[in-house]
Amino acid sequence: MMNSHTRRVSRTMESYERYVILAIIFSFARCTSASVTHYSIPEEMKEGSVVANLATDLGSLSNRKIRVDVVGNKKYLDIKKDTGELFILERIDREFLCPLKTTTSCFLKLDASVENPVRMFNIEVEIVDINDNAPHFRRGTMHLDISESSPVGERFSLNNAADPDVGTNSVKNYHLSSNGTKFADLILKKPLDREKQ
C-alpha cells in the first residue's frame, strides 16, 4: 500500500516525464522547420520565369525529394525537381489575387518540405503591383444640377475614377484645367445665366 509521500513522488515523476516529452517534441518541431524565407516579384511575370533557386537558398538539396504546396491559393508557382528552381507556373494578377484596395501587401504563402531528413520551410512570395490598369470612370456621362444663383468659386464634386492598382500606381490627380487636384471637382469660374445659356 502506497503512503501519501510515495503518491506525491509518483505524481511529480509523471509531471516531469510529461514535461520532458513536450520539450523533446517542441525541440524536434523547431529543428525540422526553418524561419520564413521571403521573395519579392512583380506581378504579370511570364510563365516559366524563375523566382528563386531553393537549392541555393535553403541549403544542399541534392538527391533529396522536395515538394512545394501553396497555402490557401491557386498553384501559381512550382519547383523544378532537378534544379531546385522555384518558377512561375501561371501568370499572377495581383488585383485578382488581392482584390481589396486596402491591402498594401499581397503574398503567396508556400510550404516546402524536403525528405531525408525531413525539413519544413515556410516561404512567402510578395507580389508587387505594376501599373497595368488604366483608371476609368464607372459612368461615361455625369449629370450635375447647378443653380444659376450658385456663387463663383463654388465646387461641385465629380465621381472619382476607379483604378485597381495601388499605392504610387493608383490615380494621383485629375487634370480638368491647368491645375491638377487629388479629387475631381468642377469649380464655377463665372456666374451662370440660364436664360442666356
Side-chain angles (χ1 to χ4, degrees):
M1 189 166 172
M2 293 171 76
N3 62 26
S4 63
H5 176 71
T6 309
R7 265 185 254 139
R8 222 175 304 129
V9 169
S10 176
R11 278 194 212 120
T12 305
M13 287 299 290
E14 286 173 10
S15 297
Y16 177 75
E17 286 170 0
R18 275 192 222 126
Y19 173 78
V20 169
I21 290 169
L22 285 172
I24 290 170
I25 290 170
F26 177 73
S27 171
F28 177 76
R30 224 173 64 192
C31 290
T32 57
S33 66
S35 61
V36 178
T37 304
H38 293 274
Y39 299 106
S40 183
I41 60 168
E43 65 174 325
E44 309 287 349
M45 282 180 76
K46 283 171 39 178
E47 293 173 13
S49 298
V50 175
V51 173
N53 190 315
L54 298 183
T56 303
D57 295 346
L58 303 179
S60 176
L61 303 177
S62 58
N63 301 324
R64 296 168 70 188
K65 288 184 182 176
I66 184 167
R67 193 175 121 178
V68 172
D69 295 314
V70 178
V71 181
N73 294 305
K74 190 174 170 184
K75 192 167 184 179
Y76 290 105
L77 304 165
D78 206 352
I79 188 163
K80 292 180 183 173
K81 306 282 192 254
D82 54 337
T83 62
E85 291 176 326
L86 185 66
F87 69 97
I88 306 284
L89 188 64
E90 189 175 332
R91 187 182 66 85
I92 303 170
D93 182 358
R94 185 190 188 284
E95 289 75 34
F96 178 79
L97 187 65
C98 302
L100 298 177
K101 285 277 286 183
T102 53
T103 307
T104 52
S105 299
C106 182
F107 291 97
L108 276 173
K109 296 180 187 289
L110 301 97
D111 287 335
S113 58
V114 182
E115 295 180 5
N116 300 323
V118 174
R119 287 187 67 199
M120 301 290 292
F121 299 96
N122 297 318
I123 299 169
E124 284 184 349
V125 180
E126 182 179 9
I127 310 303
V128 179
D129 185 46
I130 63 170
N131 199 357
D132 60 336
N133 293 287
H136 66 279
F137 290 97
R138 290 188 174 91
R139 287 179 295 188
T141 305
M142 295 180 205
H143 297 280
L144 296 174
D145 291 323
I146 302 173
S147 169
E148 66 178 336
S149 62
S150 299
V152 171
E154 188 165 345
R155 298 174 94 85
F156 302 94
S157 294
L158 304 176
N159 294 327
N160 289 331
D163 188 347
D165 293 318
V166 295
T168 57
N169 293 327
S170 64
V171 176
K172 289 192 183 71
N173 50 45
Y174 298 88
H175 294 278
L176 297 175
S177 63
S178 56
N179 298 327
T181 60
K182 179 65 180 165
F183 302 101
D185 289 342
L186 286 178
I187 303 168
L188 189 59
K189 294 290 190 185
K190 298 179 190 173
L192 297 175
D193 186 336
R194 185 181 187 280
E195 289 72 30
K196 186 177 177 181
Q197 181 65 29

